[in-house]
Structures are given as structure tokens and as C-alpha cells.
Amino acid sequence: MTLETVSENKAFGGTQGVYKHASAETGTEMSFAVYVPPHDKGARLPVLWFLSGLTCTHANVMEKGEYRAACAEHGVILVAPDTSPRGDDVPDAKDEYDFGKGAGFYVDATQQPWAKHYRMRSYTERELPGLVAANFPVDMDRQGITGHSMGGHGALTIGLRNSERFRSVSAFAPICAPSQVPWGEKALGRYLGDDRAAWREYDAVALIEDGARVPKLLVDQGTADQFLDEQLKPELLRAACQDAEIDAEVRMQEGYDHSYFFISTFMAEHVAWHAERLASDA
């Protein structure tokens, strides 16, 4: 698979790059960002995946996430995919920010007209990891995943479904139970159809109820988040983890909202938390 370099810039001794390729899963051109910290020649480094939220691309966290200093300090590669397929031929809901382009919800759609291109689950779980492994100095035995909002939903669900792959899972203000909130009901219903049983593998709370497990979760949530009560529901995740005896640290951060001001404040802590669990002797 051919990888094209869009840009590369030196940062904190490493390289912040943006790359694009033709995706077999989405049938479109896809872009993603990778930060590779300074490292010894021949070294293989742990990788942290960051999944972005509604309306975002890879550029949002790359420009506002403030992760590079921490990644350089701890020797962690960070990969940030896009949130949905792009292109003139990709169906969209132009007047709906929470559906269509920029709102792929990390699912493999089964309903028309979305099924052909909206295959973000397969893209993020299989295709992109293979491309990254072939082109960057990653140790694929040391993977962590995190994300924000819709991307927090993606991080939790991908981590829970692939617990043998990910040593560490965290999230910023995730949509914890999409089957029970307006954003999720809209997206899952239109991408996957009316059978709510099919939604459960894309719902962190439902996955835990159905037996999925990870050793530990870290979640940060702002108390001033405008979406907290209606859309995010961290209390449901906390309860599900308690019932399943999952060690979940759900931290309510006083006065923080849903923005990248919030994410950037706690990003270094998340990188360090993942790095501890991705250490070669962990």
C-alpha cells in the first residue's frame, strides 16, 4: 500500500508528520497524523492511538492536543486517524454536524447509502494499523488507545473488543453509552438499522454488560461540559465497571468543558499513564 507524505516537521526532537493513502476499506483517500519521538536507530516504540470526536479530523489534536512534549519524554508514538471517509462521492448529511462526514462513529455501517464507505471500524482496527506497522518504528505488541467524545466512544469500544491487543485504554469525555443518548441513537440507528441488538458491540456500557473486560480504564470528564448530562453519561460507565469489577478511574475535573482546552490540560497525564503500561517490561 502506497503511503504519501503530506508534511513533516521537527518537533521536540522528533517528527510530526501527516500522511495519506488510498484506503481499501473506505474506498476513499484517507489522511492521518503520526508523531514519532526521538529514538535510537533500530528501536521499536510503543504506539498510542488517538481517536477524535465529532466534526474533527486528525488536525484537531495535532494542532491543539499538546501531546508532543510528553510523547518525546516517554518515547511513545502517537497516531491520529481521521473520523470518517472523505470525498465528493461519499454520502453526507450536510446540515447535520453529528452524522455523515466527520461523524463516522467508528462503526462499519450496514445500511445504505452509508455501507460502501463508512467502514471506520475496519479501517481503525485493521487497515491503518497494518499500514502504520509497515512504515513506522512501532512495536505492535505495545499498543494503547485513547480518544475524545465520539473518539472516546471509539477508544473504549475498540479497546474492549480487542483487549488482547491494547495494554491500555483511556478517554476524554467519551460517549459512554451511545445506545442510550441522542447522538448515539441517531448514528447507530442510521448506520446500522433498527435492530438495537446490533448496536451493542458499539456501546462501551453494553460491551461490559455482555462480558468484555479490560484490566483498567482512565477517563477524564469536565464538570462544565455542556454535553455531560444528555450525551456522555459517565455515571453509566462507572456503574458498569463497578458491576464487572473493572478498575475504572473516572475523574470529574471541576470547571472544565468539552473543548481542547480541557484535553490539552490532561493530555500529558494520559500519555504518561499509557507509557507506564506500555513499558517493555510491563
Side-chain angles (χ1 to χ4, degrees):
M1 189 181 298
T2 302
L3 184 65
E4 181 180 341
T5 299
V6 177
S7 64
E8 288 185 336
N9 299 93
K10 187 170 183 177
F12 293 95
T15 301
Q16 175 64 67
V18 177
Y19 309 92
K20 63 182 180 180
H21 69 106
S23 168
E25 288 292 349
T26 69
T28 68
E29 185 176 84
M30 297 293 290
S31 298
F32 62 99
V34 181
Y35 177 70
V36 179
H39 58 282
D40 294 334
K41 184 177 181 180
R44 312 298 288 184
L45 305 179
V47 57
L48 176 60
W49 301 85
F50 183 95
L51 305 185
S52 295
L54 288 169
T55 75
C56 293
T57 69
H58 64 276
N60 295 76
V61 69
M62 185 180 74
E63 295 169 0
K64 298 183 286 189
E66 300 185 23
Y67 55 84
R68 280 173 286 268
C71 286
E73 177 184 354
H74 296 286
V76 174
I77 291 173
L78 188 139
V79 180
D82 202 347
T83 52
S84 70
R86 308 281 177 175
D88 293 340
D89 296 332
V90 175
D92 192 17
K94 293 183 179 179
D95 297 325
E96 302 174 67
Y97 78 95
D98 55 355
F99 192 79
K101 293 180 185 178
F105 270 83
Y106 304 98
V107 306
D108 280 353
T110 59
Q111 304 300 300
Q112 298 302 330
W114 317 105
K116 180 178 179 181
H117 297 294
Y118 283 78
R119 295 187 51 79
M120 292 305 295
R121 173 182 179 173
S122 291
Y123 178 73
T124 53
E125 284 188 354
R126 294 196 296 272
E127 184 178 18
L128 186 58
L131 185 65
V132 167
N135 288 277
F136 298 93
V138 295
D139 180 351
M140 296 299 280
D141 291 329
R142 293 188 287 159
Q143 295 186 65
I145 191 165
T146 188
H148 170 233
S149 193
M150 179 186 72
H153 139 76
L156 293 176
T157 55
I158 291 172
L160 285 162
R161 289 195 305 261
N162 299 275
S163 59
E164 75 288 348
R165 253 180 68 188
F166 294 100
R167 290 195 193 181
S168 54
V169 182
S170 77
F172 299 88
I175 307 170
C176 296
S179 298
Q180 302 183 51
V181 301
W183 275 344
E185 290 182 318
K186 177 179 182 176
L188 298 181
R190 290 167 70 176
Y191 286 137
L192 303 175
D194 295 333
D195 181 6
R196 296 178 75 95
W199 301 6
R200 295 185 69 82
E201 61 187 304
Y202 296 109
D203 182 310
V205 169
L207 282 166
I208 293 168
E209 291 173 348
D210 292 345
R213 297 291 183 268
V214 293
K216 187 175 178 65
L217 289 173
L218 173 64
V219 173
D220 274 313
Q221 171 65 64
T223 62
D225 190 319
Q226 65 270 39
F227 304 114
L228 175 58
D229 294 333
E230 183 180 28
Q231 303 284 11
L232 305 180
K233 306 288 186 183
E235 69 277 5
L236 298 181
L237 178 65
R238 184 186 288 112
C241 288
Q242 184 174 357
D243 290 345
E245 299 183 340
I246 294 173
D247 183 3
E249 187 176 6
V250 181
R251 308 190 303 190
M252 301 304 295
Q253 303 292 358
E254 186 65 31
Y256 285 92
D257 59 19
H258 200 69
S259 72
Y260 269 88
F261 295 109
F262 157 64
I263 298 169
S264 63
T265 300
F266 300 100
M267 178 67 84
E269 291 184 41
H270 279 244
V271 171
W273 185 86
H274 283 275
E276 181 180 356
R277 286 152 185 81
L278 298 177
S280 58
D281 56 353

